[in-house]
Amino acid sequence: MIERAIKKQIDSRLYKGKAVIIVGPRQVGKTTLLRMLVADTDRKVLVWNCDEPDVRKKLNEPTSTELGAETANVDLILIDEAQRVNNIGITLKLLIDNYPEKQVVVTGSSAIELSNSINEPLTGRKYEYVMFPFSSEELIREFGATEERRMLERRLIYGSYPEVVNHPGEERETLIDLVNSYLYKDIFSFQDVRKPEIVEQLLQALALQVGSEVSFNELGRLLGLTSITVQRYIDLLEKSYVLFHLRSFSRNVRSELKKSRKIYFYDNGVRNAILGDYKPLDLRTDTGALWENYVISERMKHNSYSAFYGKSYFWRTQQQQEVDYIEDYDGVLHTYEFKWSKTKQPRLAETFVKNYPDHTFTIVSPDNYQDFVCGKL
């Protein structure tokens, strides 16, 4: 099994009187991570799989006495697919408050976030982590830098969901099943989304705009929705870990775009599956967008797993001067440009250099991207 970067963080939080909550999209390996925790401990373990009807019944509104009887002589309690249990947050609160010596580890899909069934009851009682598809950092550690560099085009096209990585040759079927069956269905179950087909049309529109600024008003006109509805749907897709956004950076320059945003997909394969486009790079016109989505999403995974405390942006002016990506930390703006082709080497915009002298500048290309996605640039 490929070692997950998040596991070291989780190991460091065990037996400190709080639950460990692992959320994220379906099919990224949360259940496999629980198996790793079982394999690595000598303590007595209880596993509750909430796909089982009798387990759901047991965890739906139990008393603290009933929970005590069920967990007697157990040190580690693993609860998988917790989103399947109504009011799971209340049950976990009872466990943590009454039996703090026991460690509770919970996995759940985005439904937990969408239904808000866990955050309020567990305020101050949990460590929460997000788990993503395999990161480049994890794959480099498993297969080596050279092999991953050889696989780069496949990662740009098919992404890095575990089933995709582990079953070469079946990438298209796996991605189609993922998008049709799992990816954002929680939205329809836990939120009032009356026209599911509109969400799919919105995703297709966003897939075509990767790397470009997104206008809620323009998307609304395209789909026959209000800008407020578009914004709500995008927010739900972010809570489902399909998308994430970057805000525009602005401080000093009058012509800076101050309220713009760009939307990216956490996984390139998902983006391409939504469009039904798996062409090789030499036949594509969107290679630059794929490259930008890939390196930014991989950087986001790295930052999440390494508890990055800075903030991430892009920068652009009304005169079309731009910086692809900025990280703001330690009083310095670390700026990056993403270039797939070596034919043109960009320079940082003079307006940015003049107004923000405390900065670094790095071009991220296929030659050095592994250092970027592993946090070494």
Side-chain angles (χ1 to χ4, degrees), residues 180-340:
N180 290 340
S181 302
Y182 299 104
L183 192 62
Y184 44 87
K185 302 307 180 187
D186 286 338
I187 295 175
F188 307 142
S189 300
F190 288 87
Q191 296 289 321
D192 181 22
V193 177
R194 300 178 183 179
K195 295 182 178 180
E197 68 276 6
I198 292 294
V199 174
E200 296 175 3
Q201 292 172 20
L202 174 61
L203 280 167
Q204 290 173 354
L206 293 170
L208 292 169
Q209 295 185 33
V210 163
S212 302
E213 294 155 57
V214 169
S215 166
F216 296 146
N217 288 326
E218 290 181 8
L219 288 169
R221 286 193 293 270
L222 176 67
L223 300 172
L225 303 172
T226 66
S227 61
I228 293 175
T229 300
V230 170
Q231 187 170 357
R232 174 175 173 254
Y233 284 179
I234 289 177
D235 179 64
L236 293 177
L237 289 164
E238 291 198 45
K239 288 179 178 176
S240 296
Y241 308 107
V242 180
L243 310 171
F244 65 94
H245 74 274
L246 287 183
R247 293 186 293 114
S248 55
F249 177 86
S250 64
R251 284 184 187 167
N252 302 326
V253 182
R254 190 173 184 179
S255 61
E256 287 173 332
L257 301 181
K258 295 177 171 59
K259 294 184 179 181
S260 295
R261 66 173 56 198
K262 290 184 178 183
I263 302 290
Y264 296 92
F265 286 77
Y266 276 113
D267 187 77
N268 272 40
V270 166
R271 183 264 184 186
N272 291 332
I274 287 168
L275 295 176
D277 188 353
Y278 307 99
K279 293 192 300 293
L281 296 184
D282 57 2
L283 298 179
R284 303 185 75 107
T285 59
D286 60 351
T287 300
L290 285 179
W291 178 240
E292 183 172 333
N293 191 92
Y294 177 76
V295 290
I296 288 183
S297 63
E298 292 302 319
R299 183 73 165 199
M300 289 299 173
K301 294 176 192 176
H302 167 81
N303 287 348
S304 176
Y305 292 151
S306 60
F308 173 71
Y309 60 85
K311 295 183 178 180
S312 302
Y313 307 92
F314 73 96
W315 179 84
R316 196 171 188 183
T317 68
Q318 295 172 3
Q319 292 77 32
Q320 309 300 307
Q321 294 177 305
E322 60 183 332
V323 178
D324 287 339
Y325 181 68
I326 299 172
E327 288 182 348
D328 180 7
Y329 60 92
D330 290 342
V332 176
L333 299 179
H334 302 268
T335 68
Y336 301 89
E337 288 289 322
F338 305 121
K339 294 299 176 185
W340 176 257

Side-chain angles (χ1 to χ4, degrees), residues 20-153:
V20 172
I21 312 295
I22 307 165
V23 298
R26 298 177 188 269
Q27 305 291 301
V28 295
K30 297 187 292 294
T31 300
T32 302
L33 180 61
L34 292 188
R35 294 194 192 108
M36 292 180 179
L37 293 176
V38 172
D40 288 350
T41 186
D42 295 326
R43 295 175 182 259
K44 294 182 179 178
V45 181
L46 171 64
V47 180
W48 277 324
N49 179 1
C50 299
D51 281 336
E52 299 285 353
D54 58 334
V55 173
R56 293 200 297 272
K57 183 177 180 180
K58 187 180 300 183
L59 296 181
N60 186 21
E61 299 183 355
T63 66
S64 58
T65 303
E66 290 169 335
L67 289 171
E70 291 285 346
T71 61
N73 302 317
V74 169
D75 301 310
L76 178 61
I77 304 164
L78 306 180
I79 305 176
D80 198 17
E81 302 291 349
Q83 77 280 350
R84 305 268 290 165
V85 179
N86 294 330
N87 302 313
I88 185 63
I90 300 299
T91 299
L92 295 174
K93 180 177 181 294
L94 288 174
L95 263 177
I96 297 161
D97 288 352
N98 289 280
Y99 309 102
E101 74 282 0
K102 301 180 187 297
Q103 178 61 56
V104 180
V105 180
V106 181
T107 73
S109 74
S110 56
I112 281 185
E113 300 287 340
L114 293 167
S115 64
N116 199 29
S117 62
I118 203 166
N119 285 327
E120 186 173 343
L122 293 189
T123 300
R125 297 176 174 86
K126 65 182 172 69
Y127 301 110
E128 185 169 334
Y129 300 96
V130 181
M131 192 170 179
F132 303 103
F134 286 141
S135 69
S136 290
E137 195 168 3
E138 291 166 334
L139 295 173
I140 290 168
R141 188 164 51 242
E142 179 70 17
F143 301 117
T146 300
E147 180 62 22
E148 269 308 292
R149 192 171 289 109
R150 292 170 181 163
M151 296 295 290
L152 180 57
E153 179 169 349

